[in-house]
Each structure stands twice: as C-alpha cells, then as structure tokens.
Amino acid sequence: MFQNLYSNPDFSVVYSNFTIILYYVIVLLSFICGYYIQYSYSQETKLILYNKRFFLHFHVNLFVLLFFLVSFISGVREIGNDYVNYIDIFERSNSLDRFFIGVEPGFIIYNGIIRFFTSNYYVFFLITSFLTVALFYISIVRYSEYVELSLAFGAYACVFYFQSFSLVRIYLASAILFYGTKYLFNQQNVNFFLIIVFAITIHTSSIFILLTFILYLLKCRSDRMFYILYVSIFLCSILLKDYLMILNISDRYSGYLENMYETPSVGFGVLVVNVPLFYYLLKLKYLGVNEKLYNIFMVYICMSFFVSFMGYYIPTIARANVHFTIPLLVLLPYYVHELKKKKLPYKGTYMIIIIYLLCRLHIYFSEYLYVDEIMPYKTFFN
C-alpha cells in the first residue's frame, strides 16, 4: 500500500506494510482520542483530578487506554538503531567502570536502579517507555483547559514518538524537560533550572535548554538585549562552525563525526519546520496573548531555528532539537484553542496544522525509517 513511498532503495531491509499501517493507526488514534478525551468527559470525571491550582478536563478512561496502548507498543519493541547499545549500557550499569563508558551519570544511575531489581533488559525498555510517554502525556493534559488535546497528542505522535524508538536517552531527557515546563509557565524559575540540570545528567544536549532559559530571562528584561545576544550567538556560531565541528562532548559521539564534512549545505528543511511556527506565533500575538507566553514561545522557536540551522554543519547538535517541544505541543494547540474560545473561524487552521504535522511525519519516515532501524516493527515476543 505504502511501498512506493517508503520502500528501501538497497533492499537490505524488508519493507513491511503492517509496520506502516500500525504507525499511522497510532497517529490517527492520537488525533481522534485526543479530541474525545477533551470533549467527552463527565462532571464526575472532571472532579477526580481537582486540586488547588487547577482541575483538568478530560476523559480519564480513554486517556488511560491511549496511554497504555502507545507505551506498550513502544515498550515491547525490539528495534532501533541504538537498541543494542542501550542493552550494553543497562548490563554494565552496576559494574565498576559504569561511570567511564561515555554516558551521562544520571542515565547510568537510572539504569543501575532498574538493574538492581532485575537483570532483564526488556523490563528496562518497558519502564523507560512508560515513563517517557507518561511525562509527555501528563504534561499535555495539564494544559487541557488551554490547548486542543487532539493537536497536542497528534503532534507528539508525529514528531516525537517514533523517533524515541531509537533515541531512548535523549527523548527521556526531553520528556523531563517538557514536564518541567509547568515551572517555566508559572515563573518558578529555580525549579525549572533544577529540572534542566537533572535533564543534563540524562543527556548533555539538554544544555541548549539552559541557554534558552537564560535568553528567556534576558528577553523578559530587555527585548533589545535578547535579540542582540541571539544574533551574536548565531553569527559567531556560523563563523566558528569549522572549529565547532571538531568538538566532541563525549567519546560516545565520535562515530557521528566521521562523515561530518560531507554534510550538505543548508536546505529548505529549516524553513519548512520553523516558518509555520513563527507565523502562528505572530497570529497569536495579534489575538492578544500575554507577554509572558509570547516571550516563552518566541525564545523557544528562535533557539529551535538556531539548532536546526547549525545541525546542517554539526550533526551532533541537530539532535538537540527534540528538546524544543513547547512550540509544537503547546503553541499550535493553544492558538487553535484561542480561536475557538474567541469564536473565530478555526477549522481551516486546524486542518492546516494537521497537514503540517503529517508532512513532518512523512519527511521523517522518508529519511529515517530505515536509518533509525524502526522498519519493520518487531517485538521481543517474536
């Protein structure tokens, strides 16, 4: 059915229709269930999760069903480019040399805790999958009064979920950072800083969110200083890219540097990904979004653009783009929700955003379905 779109040119891996259908069914269910989770709740359900700060509007049973389905499919997989590497990390996490294998200490300790209770690495993948999805899902429903859950869950499925099959560690760090955004939105800056530090111990690339946070604090004080510093960082990075290319944060990333000088010149991919985000942010500003939200969205999009752009020259940096979750999981769903709340036409925008997200998913499948080794889908039950 989809073989012409996603066939493997060198035929080294067998194409699977089942895999593509399964992946797209997950995406479809994420959009559909997100809608019904938000708009089919009862008054009784609404009161279950009440607390002093807010109460969440969503259908608990359907939410739990979607959560377990998505977590289980990820947790029982036996695919992914780095799958074997994570088995090695897990099995060495309680060894004497565990802190000298080129992996961040927080992730080693996390592995070691699970390894203390079981030597079965399948359990590790199950726990990590459930934890990663839970942090994303709980964070999304926390904003259920302000965003369209169908777009938020759909965006997660299209842009973050399948990529985490291969890049376990960085997506766990990304989930922690996204969970911590509640502190950023509530201006609890110390708590958000501590979340960033914790995420850095899981994956070093989280340091880009620390830079983003610093820029956000600067923008709150002075727009002019923010843009001056941002442009200066951007220009200096471009001028020094040849020197930055040889930087290697960890020996574990040395393999990514081998073909670095064969990296193509910057293409339209950066614009395709980021221009719609800038566009909808400006539209949101026109609707009268408060200054705090605008600053958060603007800084995150600017840094996402920077990381995407520099990723063409330094592939190890490109991975850090997974941490810039707010524009996709909050900004776009929030904009549509604001249109609905103000009784403005929204259905056209709603469909355009869905098409944008599906295009990003298609681009990922076209380029990385076989590179990330998530085709065909296999489980440890096979």
Side-chain angles (χ1 to χ4, degrees), residues 75 77-78 83 90 119-127 380:
R77 75 191 185 283
E78 201 167 23
Y83 190 85
F90 176 74
S119 60
N120 189 332
Y121 57 81
Y122 292 138
V123 175
F124 162 77
F125 284 106
L126 271 171
I127 292 175
F380 52 67

Side-chain angles (χ1 to χ4, degrees), residues 1-9 11 15-17 20 362 365-366 369-370 375:
M1 184 184 299
F2 297 96
Q3 191 164 2
N4 291 334
L5 287 175
Y6 303 122
S7 60
N8 189 10
F11 302 104
Y15 168 82
S16 167
N17 253 329
I20 291 298
H362 170 68
F365 280 167
S366 299
L369 196 61
Y370 297 97
M375 166 68 83

Side-chain angles (χ1 to χ4, degrees), residues 136 159-160 170-171 173-175 177-178 181 205-213 215 230 273-274 277 296-308 317-331 360:
F136 274 112
V159 183
F160 301 100
I170 194 171
Y171 277 92
S174 178
L177 289 169
F178 185 60
T181 57
S205 63
S206 302
I207 199 168
F208 281 97
I209 297 299
L210 179 59
L211 176 58
T212 303
F213 182 50
L215 288 172
Y230 175 73
V273 168
N274 291 283
L277 300 177
I296 292 172
F297 292 149
M298 176 58 79
V299 174
Y300 264 73
I301 295 172
C302 285
M303 283 302 295
S304 175
F305 177 75
F306 167 74
V307 170
S308 299
I317 287 181
R319 289 188 168 196
N321 212 26
V322 306
H323 298 311
F324 297 95
T325 51
I326 288 179
L328 288 164
L329 301 183
V330 181
L331 167 61
R360 289 195 59 168

Side-chain angles (χ1 to χ4, degrees), residues 260-277:
M260 188 166 291
Y261 290 97
E262 298 176 7
T263 302
S265 59
V266 176
F268 287 103
V270 172
L271 299 178
V272 170
V273 168
N274 291 283
V275 167
L277 300 177

Side-chain angles (χ1 to χ4, degrees), residues 216-223 295:
Y216 162 70
L217 295 177
L218 181 62
K219 192 176 191 307
C220 289
R221 291 179 175 272
S222 169
D223 274 354
N295 286 339

